């Protein structure tokens, strides 16, 4: 039985070493992989941090540029609105002036036509003369500024006199005043001159209107192009800003996720180092304890299995030798017990201590039973070791599969 126990201890040592080798391999692989994962995560966090800084700067620049474009578009739109308002006012003023000039020119044409049909006012009907006088008065009042520098002082005086007393210019018999009054030819000339002046001013106004209209259209086209360009810039940069902000937000999420993963890896690595370090220490202690147990069992076996002991158990019992046999058997059990006790005390092994006590007190048959019980206990521990080994192997394979999936 002691020999079987010794073989069991040796087998346990081999199995334990095999499990330890696999566990040590698992520790080494995980340590290497987690260390690399931590290094990669730190590098990724640094890259993402730099990317976030760059994207934040781009976002700030785009926001500033968009605001500047919006300001330029607003300014161009305001300038166009102002130009449009000025143009509308100019056009209204031109239309009113054109209408007045056309009416005045039409009236002057009628007056000139009336005068051109007669050689003097004496030959004209009174109503025609009054119409001509009214036309001249209305025109002088409405366009006095336009006639400055056109009529001489004497011509103005003549027109004023004609307007005030048109009847003095067509009596049947000329009075003293009529004998010195201007002739109808002078009035005709003044009317013609006024008509030509208005026609010239009308042509100038129309030419200016065309220039103003062209200038407005050019300005409008330029401003509309600038506004469209600004709006296109705003649209493009707004799209780029949205993409930039989205990338920035995703990078921030990636940083947080990577930091969480890094923290988990660091915690796992710390626990791994601690666990593997404890495993190394425990394995060394188990090896040492088992070696001492094996040596103790071997020594106990040597004591109990000596030649003399063997003779005692193989001889035919003789009453003369009972006393001697009992004494010698007790001494050998005591010696074996002392060997087991010393080792049990040294390695703190309860099973060796129990075995030593039983060897000392019990008969040899009970010693055999104790050894059998110890072997049974060792078998139970072996099963536990095998389960632990299977667990470690499963953990190793699971970790390796997770690593490959990354």
């Amino acid at each position: 039985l002691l020999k079987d126990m010794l073989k069991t201890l040796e087998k346990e040592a081999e199995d334990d070493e095999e499990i330890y080798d696999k566990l040590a391999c698992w520790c080494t692989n995980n340590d290497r992989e987690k260390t690399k994962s931590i290094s990669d995560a730190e590098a990724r966090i640094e890259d993402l941090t730099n990317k976030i800084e760059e994207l934040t700067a781009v976002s700030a620049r785009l926001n500033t540029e968009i605001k500047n474009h919006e300001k330029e578009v607003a300014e161009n739109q305001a300038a166009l609105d102002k130009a449009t308002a000025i143009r509308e006012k100019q056009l209204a003023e031109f239309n009113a002036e054109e209408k007045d000039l056309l009416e005045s020119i039409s009236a002057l044409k009628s007056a000139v036509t009336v005068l051109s049909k007669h050689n003097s006012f004496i030959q004209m009907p009174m109503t025609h003369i009054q119409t001509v006088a009214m036309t001249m008065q209305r025109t002088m009042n409405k366009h006095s500024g336009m006639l400055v520098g056109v009529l001489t002082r004497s011509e103005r005086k003549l027109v004023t006199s004609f307007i005030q007393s048109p009847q003095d210019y067509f009596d049947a018999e000329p009075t003293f005043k009529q004998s010195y009054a201007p002739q109808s030819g002078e009035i005709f000339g003044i009317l013609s001159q006024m008509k030509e002046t208005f026609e010239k001013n009308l042509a100038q106004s129309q030419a200016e209107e065309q220039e103003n209209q062209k200038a407005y259209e050019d300005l409008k086209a330029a401003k509309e192009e600038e506004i469209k360009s600004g709006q296109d810039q705003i649209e493009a940069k707004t799209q780029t800003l949205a993409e930039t902000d989205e990338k920035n937000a995703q990078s921030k999420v990636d940083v947080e996720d990577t930091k969480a993963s890094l923290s988990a890896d660091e915690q796992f690595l710390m626990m791994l180092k601690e666990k593997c370090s404890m495993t190394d220490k425990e394995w060394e202690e188990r090896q040492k304890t088992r070696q001492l147990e094996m040596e103790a069992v071997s020594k106990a076996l040597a004591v109990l299995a000596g030649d003399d002991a063997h003779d005692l158990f193989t001889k035919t019992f003789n009453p003369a030798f009972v006393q001697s046999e009992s004494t010698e058997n007790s001494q050998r059990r005591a010696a074996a017990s002392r060997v087991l006790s010393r080792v049990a005390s040294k390695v703190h092994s309860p099973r060796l201590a129990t075995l030593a006590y039983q060897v000392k007190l019990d008969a040899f048959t009970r010693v055999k039973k104790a050894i059998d019980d110890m072997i049974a206990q060792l078998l139970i521990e072996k099963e536990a070791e095998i389960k632990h080994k299977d667990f470690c192997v499963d953990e190793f394979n699971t970790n390796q599969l997770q690593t490959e999936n990354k």
Side-chain angles (χ1 to χ4, degrees):
L1 292 176
L2 285 174
K3 290 179 180 179
D4 291 340
M5 181 177 179
L6 184 60
K7 289 180 181 179
T8 301
L9 290 171
E10 291 173 348
K11 185 65 170 60
E12 285 182 358
E14 293 177 0
D15 293 343
D16 194 18
E17 186 172 2
E18 182 182 354
I19 294 173
Y20 171 76
D21 289 341
K22 291 186 176 181
L23 186 59
C25 180
W26 180 81
C27 288
T28 301
N29 289 338
N30 275 273
D31 189 303
R32 181 174 60 252
E33 291 167 2
K34 290 302 178 183
T35 299
K36 183 178 184 302
S37 178
I38 289 171
S39 178
D40 292 344
E42 289 173 344
R44 176 167 173 76
I45 288 172
E46 183 177 359
D47 290 342
L48 287 171
T49 301
N50 292 334
K51 184 178 181 181
I52 290 171
E53 291 177 355
E54 292 175 1
L55 291 174
T56 301
V58 171
S59 178
R61 175 176 59 80
L62 288 172
N63 274 304
T64 300
E65 290 178 357
I66 290 172
K67 288 180 180 178
N68 290 336
H69 287 311
E70 290 175 342
K71 181 180 179 182
E72 291 173 359
V73 168
E75 290 175 349
N76 287 326
Q77 185 63 54
L80 178 58
D81 293 343
K82 183 178 180 181
T84 300
I86 293 173
R87 178 66 197 125
E88 290 174 350
K89 182 180 179 182
Q90 286 178 341
L91 182 60
E93 291 175 350
F94 166 76
N95 289 334
E97 183 181 3
E98 183 183 46
K99 180 181 179 182
D100 289 343
L101 286 174
L102 288 173
E103 290 176 353
S104 297
I105 290 170
S106 177
L108 290 173
K109 281 182 178 180
S110 298
V112 169
T113 299
V114 170
L115 290 180
S116 65
K117 292 179 181 180
H118 303 278
N119 293 327
S120 66
F121 289 125
I122 298 175
Q123 299 173 348
M124 291 176 61
M126 180 64 175
T127 56
H128 289 182
I129 295 297
Q130 290 177 340
T131 300
V132 171
M134 291 176 62
T135 298
M136 293 188 73
Q137 183 180 17
R138 189 164 52 249
T139 303
M140 290 291 291
N141 291 336
K142 185 179 291 188
H143 302 290
S144 59
M146 193 179 298
L147 295 173
V148 174
V150 175
L151 301 178
T152 63
R153 185 176 182 181
S154 59
E155 287 173 339
R156 284 180 174 275
K157 186 175 181 181
L158 176 61
V159 171
T160 301
S161 177
F162 174 68
I163 291 172
Q164 290 177 349
S165 301
Q167 65 277 4
D168 291 343
Y169 290 84
F170 59 88
D171 287 344
E173 293 187 6
T175 62
F176 175 79
K177 181 178 180 181
Q178 288 174 336
S179 63
Y180 295 95
Q183 298 297 317
S184 60
E186 292 181 82
I187 298 298
F188 180 82
I190 291 172
L191 288 172
S192 297
Q193 188 177 4
M194 291 173 64
K195 183 176 76 65
E196 291 174 359
T197 297
F198 290 166
E199 289 174 343
K200 181 180 178 181
N201 287 340
L202 176 61
Q204 290 178 348
S205 295
Q206 290 174 339
E208 289 177 0
E209 168 59 19
Q210 291 179 354
E211 291 178 358
N212 290 338
Q213 180 63 26
K214 185 178 183 304
Y216 170 73
E217 290 175 355
D218 292 342
L219 174 64
K220 181 181 179 182
K223 289 300 179 183
E224 287 179 344
E225 179 63 26
E226 291 176 358
I227 291 171
K228 184 179 182 303
S229 176
Q231 290 174 338
D232 290 343
Q233 290 285 336
I234 291 172
E235 183 178 355
K237 291 183 179 180
T238 299
Q239 179 64 29
T240 303
L241 176 62
E243 295 172 356
T244 300
D245 289 343
E246 182 178 358
K247 291 178 181 178
N248 200 6
Q250 184 59 50
S251 295
K252 291 178 179 179
V253 172
D254 291 344
V255 163
E256 294 303 318
D257 291 344
T258 305
K259 285 182 178 179
S261 176
L262 173 62
S263 178
D265 286 344
E266 288 176 337
Q267 186 175 3
F268 179 85
L269 182 59
M270 180 181 66
M271 294 175 63
L272 175 70
K273 288 181 179 295
E274 182 179 354
K275 177 63 178 176
C276 291
S277 177
M278 290 176 60
T279 300
D280 290 341
K281 184 177 179 181
E282 289 173 357
W283 183 80
E284 290 175 359
E285 291 177 353
R286 285 199 310 274
Q287 287 292 94
K288 183 178 179 181
T289 300
R290 185 174 288 110
Q291 183 63 34
L292 292 174
E293 287 177 340
M294 291 170 64
E295 291 177 359
V297 172
S298 296
K299 290 179 180 180
L301 183 61
V303 171
L304 293 176
D307 292 339
D308 293 338
H310 178 73
D311 290 339
L312 289 173
F313 283 99
T314 57
K315 287 179 181 179
T316 303
F317 285 97
N318 190 326
F321 296 100
V322 171
Q323 183 68 31
S324 175
E325 178 186 348
S326 176
T327 301
E328 187 175 357
N329 197 18
S330 297
Q331 291 175 348
R332 290 185 179 277
R333 288 202 306 271
S337 177
R338 286 195 296 271
V339 171
L340 295 173
S341 294
R342 283 197 299 269
V343 177
S345 177
K346 184 175 182 180
V347 299
H348 306 288
S349 175
R351 61 184 178 181
L352 281 183
T354 301
L355 184 59
Y357 182 74
Q358 290 175 341
V359 166
K360 182 178 179 181
L361 297 180
D362 294 346
F364 190 70
T365 54
R366 295 186 179 181
V367 172
K368 290 173 61 179
K369 183 179 183 303
I371 291 175
D372 288 340
D373 293 341
M374 182 174 181
I375 290 173
Q377 180 62 30
L378 290 173
L379 290 174
I380 294 174
E381 292 181 4
K382 179 182 177 181
E383 290 295 327
E385 290 284 349
I386 291 173
K387 290 182 180 179
H388 180 65
K389 169 187 172 182
D390 293 340
F391 171 77
C392 291
V393 172
D394 290 342
E395 284 294 309
F396 173 76
N397 292 332
T398 301
N399 184 267
Q400 186 175 8
L401 180 61
Q402 291 176 349
T403 302
E404 291 174 355
N405 290 336
K406 289 183 179 180

